Amino acid sequence: MAGALLALASSYASSAAWAGAQQYEALSASVQSALSRSLADQAPSGTGFRDSLESVAWLSDMSQRLERSIPDRDSRLEFLRAVHYEATRAGLDPQLVLGLIQVESGFRKYAVSSAGARGFMQVMPFWIRLIGREDDNLFHLRTNLRYGCTILRHYLDIEQGDLYRALGRYNGSLGQPEYPTLVRAAWQNRWEYPRSPLAGDTAGGSADTGGALRSRIASQSLPTLR
C-alpha cells in the first residue's frame, strides 16, 4: 500500500502537481493581527538546527533526495535551509513541509495553479491582502515559505491539530481524501527522517514533533484511493 501511494504521489509531482487553492475566509481582527505578526519578515536570528552536526547531517541527506528536482547544489541548499527554518519557526515538521511542496508544486518555484496559487507552497494571493504587505512577492523563496508555513499552522490550530482536515483546508479540498493521502505518502515515503526534532517555540505557537503529527494523521484512518 505504501509503495502504491508513493508511486501515485511521485506521478503527481512529476506531471501536473496537485495544486489546489486555499479558500477565502473572513478572519477576526485578533486572528488577522496574530497572523500578520507571524509573517513579520525579519531576518532569521539563527537556524532551526540544534547544532552544526545536525545541520550537516540533515542537509546532506535531504540534498541527495532533492537533487533530481533542484539540480543546482547552491539553490538546493538555500531552499532546504529556508524550509527547515520556516517550518520549525511555525512549529511544523520540515519533512511534512517537503512532502506538501512535492505534491503542491513539484518543487517548481514559479508554479501557478489554475486558481492562481503561486510558488513552492502554492499560496493564494488573497493572503497578501489579508495578512501581508502590498509588495510581498509570493515567488520569493522565503516569502512563499513564510506564508505557506504560517497558513498551514493556522489551519492546524483552527482544526485543533487534525492534520487531515488542515491539509484539506490548505488545498481547498476539505473532506476529500486524495490530497491528504498524497501528502502523507510523500512525507513518510520520500522525506521520512528519524532525527527530525523541532526547535523551540519560535513562532509564538506550539511546536509539534514529526512523530506526533504522523501518529495523529495515521490514527485518523484516511480513506484509501480507489
Side-chain angles (χ1 to χ4, degrees), residues 28-113:
S28 69
S30 60
V31 170
Q32 195 168 351
S33 177
L35 290 174
S36 294
R37 289 196 301 271
S38 295
L39 272 183
D41 192 21
Q42 299 173 352
S45 57
T47 71
F49 299 103
R50 292 183 299 183
D51 54 51
S52 59
L53 291 178
E54 181 182 83
S55 171
V56 170
W58 189 84
L59 289 171
S60 176
D61 190 338
M62 294 303 110
S63 180
Q64 290 181 39
R65 303 187 201 188
L66 190 59
E67 185 173 6
R68 186 170 59 180
S69 299
I70 304 180
D72 181 74
R73 181 178 181 275
D74 290 342
S75 298
R76 191 165 65 247
L77 291 175
E78 178 188 17
F79 171 81
L80 287 168
R81 289 189 184 99
V83 166
H84 195 282
Y85 177 82
E86 296 299 339
T88 55
R89 180 183 184 274
L92 302 170
D93 183 354
Q95 317 308 126
L96 165 63
V97 174
L98 286 169
L100 183 148
I101 293 172
Q102 176 182 323
V103 175
E104 281 283 341
S105 69
F107 297 100
R108 297 193 298 273
K109 181 176 182 179
Y110 296 106
V112 179
S113 76

Side-chain angles (χ1 to χ4, degrees), residues 98-225:
L98 286 169
L100 183 148
I101 293 172
Q102 176 182 323
V103 175
E104 281 283 341
S105 69
F107 297 100
R108 297 193 298 273
K109 181 176 182 179
Y110 296 106
V112 179
S113 76
S114 59
R118 300 176 183 178
F120 285 119
M121 294 190 73
Q122 290 292 277
V123 177
M124 289 293 287
F126 69 75
W127 286 105
I128 294 177
R129 184 176 69 256
L130 275 180
I131 60 175
R133 301 178 306 188
E134 187 177 340
D135 60 348
D136 282 346
N137 179 4
L138 293 177
F139 293 120
H140 181 270
L141 170 61
R142 198 157 61 84
T143 299
N144 187 273
L145 296 176
R146 177 68 58 89
Y147 269 87
C149 289
T150 299
I151 294 163
L152 181 56
R153 179 77 257 175
H154 167 62
Y155 287 148
L156 272 168
D157 290 343
I158 64 177
E159 292 294 349
Q160 300 181 353
D162 186 327
L163 182 57
Y164 174 74
R165 289 183 60 82
L167 287 172
R169 282 185 179 274
Y170 191 92
N171 183 253
S173 57
L174 183 61
Q176 301 176 31
E178 289 84 0
Y179 178 78
T181 302
L182 288 169
V183 173
R184 182 183 67 175
W187 179 20
Q188 295 181 342
N189 296 318
R190 183 177 179 185
W191 303 107
E192 177 75 22
Y193 189 73
R195 301 178 305 280
S196 185
L198 290 173
D201 176 11
T202 56
S206 299
D208 203 343
T209 63
L213 280 174
R214 277 189 290 275
S215 297
R216 195 173 294 153
I217 194 170
S219 69
Q220 288 156 9
S221 301
L222 294 181
T224 56
L225 298 176

